[in-house]
Amino acid sequence: MKIAVMSCIHGNYEALNAVLSDIDRQQAEKIFCLGDLVGYGPQPNAVVEMIRSLDIPTVQGCWDEDIVEGLNACECSYPSILAEKRGKRAHEWTNDRIHPEVREYLAQLPLSLREENLCFVHGSPHNQHEYLMPEVNAFTALERVMATGADVLFCGHTHIPYVRTLDAGQLAVKVRQPEGSSTKQFTAPLKQIINAGSVGEPRHGRPNATYVIYDTDDRLTTLREVKYDYQLTCQAIIDNGLPAIFAWRLAQGLEYAERAEDPTHVCER
Amino acid sequence: MDRHPIYLVTGPCGSGKTTWIHQQLTTSTEPSAYICLGANATPIDLTYITATCPHVKPIAAGAAWTQLAEIQPLYVEIAPQLDLAKLQLPVDIESCQRIAIVPKGLIESEYHDWASQTLISEVTEKNVTLTASPRWELTGEVLDPASLNIFWDELIQGAYGEVARAKGIFEIVDGRSFYFSFGVGFPDATYFELPLPPVLAGRPTRFSGLEVVGNNLQPQLIMETLEDCGLDDRTLAHY
Ligand SMILES: [Zn+2]
Ligand SMILES: [Zn+2]
């Protein structure tokens, strides 16, 4: 079965529409969404309405949580004072405009979804604010997949798509028991981490939306990059009173605000 | 007596006057002097030359004219806002080396007419302006380096209008002072630490600031973003 997995739409309705059309053309049978429906972009309500109307199984992203719970992000989300100020402006703007039923919908989203041997989360199985960067060491990466009990872990949040196959074979795990610790060895079958990139806020140097198609039969992943009329979103950013720099950054494929780069950082939140 | 000449250096905004003077000053270690003339002459150039060329005596704009001819060679940078035809100096202008730094493609100008020697810089004509460029004095502002990097990348990539030339001196949170320089056609698009003593307590009182040459610039947005890069007193007190 062919499934489509997307993440980080960030209130960019034009990008979402383009990706949904592309998913149609790819003939994916099911769509999953890894959260961050809102934040930074100019159409948070329209994006949520679309996801809801299509009944797309969705997990809660870091931005979705912050809109429900109030800003409470770990410092790692903001590597600079400038990024923090921009992030807070985007949060306030979104918070002021989000419809009550949209907020309710975001509040009830699950933190993870399971479908047979596949698991879907926003950041990592531990925390939707944690960045699972492609460079994170193999042990940590494998631990995150194992924690879910699934073979394939789909995540987003970094805004850069990637596929990582973990062929660790044997994994030694220390198990703490009341009478002391013992070491257990076991063999792990091939595990995969698949990052779906970002629909509405890419950071790969081009404005195009990214998502993935996954074939459950042959475990084949296709990273899709979809062109859309990003100028419409840029115009909407300016027309709706969001900082003009967001439009410029979107057009450059630079994300709306710079993100934590430290690949080894594990969120302490 | 064979005296070193006085160099009067002129040219449009962003043509590379300071870059040329700096090249001359760094090829020798003999005592030299530098002054920048012009309404609102930016202390960025003066601060940069003072910090990087210890053998150069900086003469502040507006200083006594008698200082002008004391140390030679003397480099006098003339801001483009000054009317060359009405220029008055306490030395005989005709006896000075009059250097015009002009961009490629500029064939005829008042600079050509006035100069005894015209040098063509790597900068192209479309990247200079004949009018004043926006500038910001930031003295006392302490910037977060990660924010400054984002701002600088955005600035030189055109987020605040098309930038042909930008130079700035910024104070960062650990007390160091940095010189940032970018120019279309300049080989030294770079930044480096100025060899100045670190400011370890309170806000620095020495000069810092930014000057930008370009088209369709958005000075208001540049100023607001610089403010967003700055540390407030409470955050600063933590360091
Ligand atoms: Zn996101
Ligand atoms: Zn996120």
Side-chain angles (χ1 to χ4, degrees):
Chain A
M1 182 174 72
K2 245 183 177 181
I3 62 165
V5 185
M6 60 181 174
S7 186
C8 297
I9 301 153
H10 287 286
N12 187 336
Y13 187 70
E14 299 299 330
L16 175 62
N17 253 329
V19 163
L20 290 172
S21 305
D22 193 71
I23 290 173
D24 245 12
R25 281 191 294 275
Q26 301 301 312
Q27 298 176 324
E29 286 169 55
K30 200 164 178 186
I31 306 173
F32 291 88
C33 177
L34 307 180
D36 273 4
L37 307 183
V38 304
Y40 290 117
Q43 296 117 350
N45 292 310
V47 164
V48 172
E49 291 311 332
M50 176 67 97
I51 298 283
R52 282 183 79 178
S53 68
L54 295 175
D55 242 337
I56 295 174
T58 299
V59 296
Q60 191 184 59
C62 58
W63 270 86
D64 310 325
E65 187 207 14
D66 286 347
I67 284 299
V68 175
E69 305 274 333
L71 258 190
N72 184 24
C74 157
E75 300 236 309
C76 64
S77 303
Y78 299 118
S80 70
I81 288 176
L82 182 61
E84 182 174 354
K85 286 186 178 158
R86 288 174 176 173
K88 282 184 176 160
R89 265 169 223 152
H91 177 86
E92 272 164 32
W93 185 96
T94 309
N95 200 37
D96 286 349
R97 282 159 185 83
I98 209 97
H99 299 155
E101 67 275 16
V102 167
R103 201 186 300 270
E104 269 165 43
Y105 170 79
L106 296 176
Q108 55 78 48
L109 288 174
L111 294 181
S112 72
L113 287 169
R114 270 301 289 270
E115 171 104 348
E116 295 176 357
N117 67 332
L118 315 176
C119 182
F120 304 87
V121 300
H122 177 67
S124 97
H126 295 342
N127 189 318
Q128 67 250 66
H129 290 263
E130 183 177 279
Y131 292 90
L132 268 186
M133 303 298 280
E135 310 87 352
V136 74
N137 70 64
F139 185 85
T140 305
L142 201 54
E143 189 278 327
R144 294 298 188 272
V145 188
M146 303 290 284
T148 66
D151 294 325
V152 186
L153 174 64
F154 288 93
C155 60
H157 191 47
T158 68
H159 293 204
I160 303 172
Y162 68 86
V163 180
R164 185 164 180 191
T165 301
L166 296 154
D167 194 4
Q170 290 212 315
L171 184 67
V173 178
K174 254 197 172 144
V175 182
R176 220 174 262 283
Q177 285 168 339
E179 61 276 12
S181 63
S182 67
T183 302
K184 275 189 180 172
Q185 299 252 333
F186 58 91
T187 308
L190 215 60
K191 304 283 183 186
Q192 274 184 313
I193 296 180
I194 299 169
N195 190 303
S198 171
V199 169
E201 202 194 343
R203 63 174 301 178
H204 49 76
R206 292 177 297 279
N208 307 336
T210 58
Y211 76 98
V212 299
I213 296 278
Y214 182 78
D215 193 322
T216 53
D217 300 327
D218 53 15
R219 298 189 70 172
L220 205 72
T221 311
T222 313
L223 302 179
R224 300 283 307 161
E225 182 171 331
V226 183
K227 283 192 182 154
Y228 73 100
D229 192 350
Y230 63 87
Q231 295 289 6
L232 289 174
T233 306
C234 292
Q235 196 55 52
I237 285 170
I238 290 163
D239 293 347
N240 285 287
L242 278 158
I245 193 72
F246 291 178
W248 182 83
R249 294 193 70 98
L250 180 67
Q252 314 291 312
L254 285 175
E255 230 178 20
Y256 292 122
E258 200 57 57
R259 254 336 141 71
E261 292 282 4
D262 180 4
T264 56
H265 176 85
V266 175
C267 188
E268 296 291 322
R269 205 173 101 120
Chain B
M1 194 176 72
D2 192 18
R3 299 208 65 180
H4 286 292
I6 295 173
Y7 297 94
L8 307 179
V9 185
T10 187
C13 261
S15 70
K17 295 181 292 295
T18 316
T19 306
W20 182 82
I21 293 173
H22 192 253
Q23 275 165 6
Q24 311 309 305
L25 289 170
T26 47
T27 51
S28 96
T29 50
E30 66 177 337
S32 315
Y34 169 81
I35 186 170
C36 186
L37 297 181
N40 303 320
T42 166
I44 292 176
D45 298 331
L46 189 72
T47 308
Y48 167 57
I49 284 177
T50 312
T52 54
C53 308
H55 59 285
V56 175
K57 180 181 166 57
I59 303 171
W65 286 114
T66 49
Q67 283 193 333
L68 262 181
E70 263 173 26
I71 303 170
Q72 292 181 3
L74 165 70
Y75 291 86
V76 182
E77 182 171 338
I78 301 167
Q81 298 92 317
L82 286 188
D83 185 349
L84 290 171
K86 293 184 187 145
L87 188 67
Q88 297 256 341
L89 292 179
V91 292
D92 174 21
I93 291 176
E94 288 298 312
S95 72
C96 297
Q97 294 275 326
R98 298 182 307 282
I99 315 273
I101 313 277
V102 298
K104 276 190 280 213
L106 187 66
I107 314 284
E108 257 183 30
S109 72
E110 53 169 332
Y111 305 109
H112 290 78
D113 299 341
W114 181 82
S116 56
Q117 192 184 357
T118 301
L119 301 173
I120 295 158
S121 78
E122 285 301 300
V123 180
T124 53
E125 193 189 348
K126 105 181 216 307
N127 293 320
V128 300
T129 78
L130 301 172
T131 54
S133 46
R135 58 192 59 185
W136 296 265
E137 171 144 9
L138 299 169
T139 304
E141 291 294 330
V142 177
L143 306 183
D144 162 47
S147 301
L148 175 59
N149 273 333
I150 297 172
F151 164 71
W152 188 259
D153 280 347
E154 288 173 351
L155 178 73
I156 66 178
Q157 288 177 60
Y160 308 101
E162 193 190 331
V163 172
R165 180 89 174 97
K167 50 190 168 184
I169 289 171
F170 304 109
E171 298 284 341
I172 66 164
V173 68
D174 62 6
R176 292 183 295 164
S177 183
F178 278 82
Y179 178 75
F180 277 62
S181 168
F182 165 81
V184 177
F186 281 75
D188 63 337
T190 184
Y191 68 93
F192 54 82
E193 184 185 345
L194 290 174
L196 295 170
V199 177
L200 298 174
R203 291 185 177 273
T205 51
R206 63 192 177 205
F207 170 83
S208 62
L210 170 69
E211 182 177 355
V212 182
V213 176
N215 297 309
N216 303 317
L217 294 174
Q218 295 174 278
Q220 181 70 20
L221 222 53
I222 293 175
M223 194 189 73
E224 286 167 7
T225 310
L226 278 168
E227 280 169 8
D228 284 347
C229 295
L231 275 79
D232 57 32
D233 288 334
R234 218 185 49 171
T235 319
L236 196 58
H238 279 289
Y239 288 89

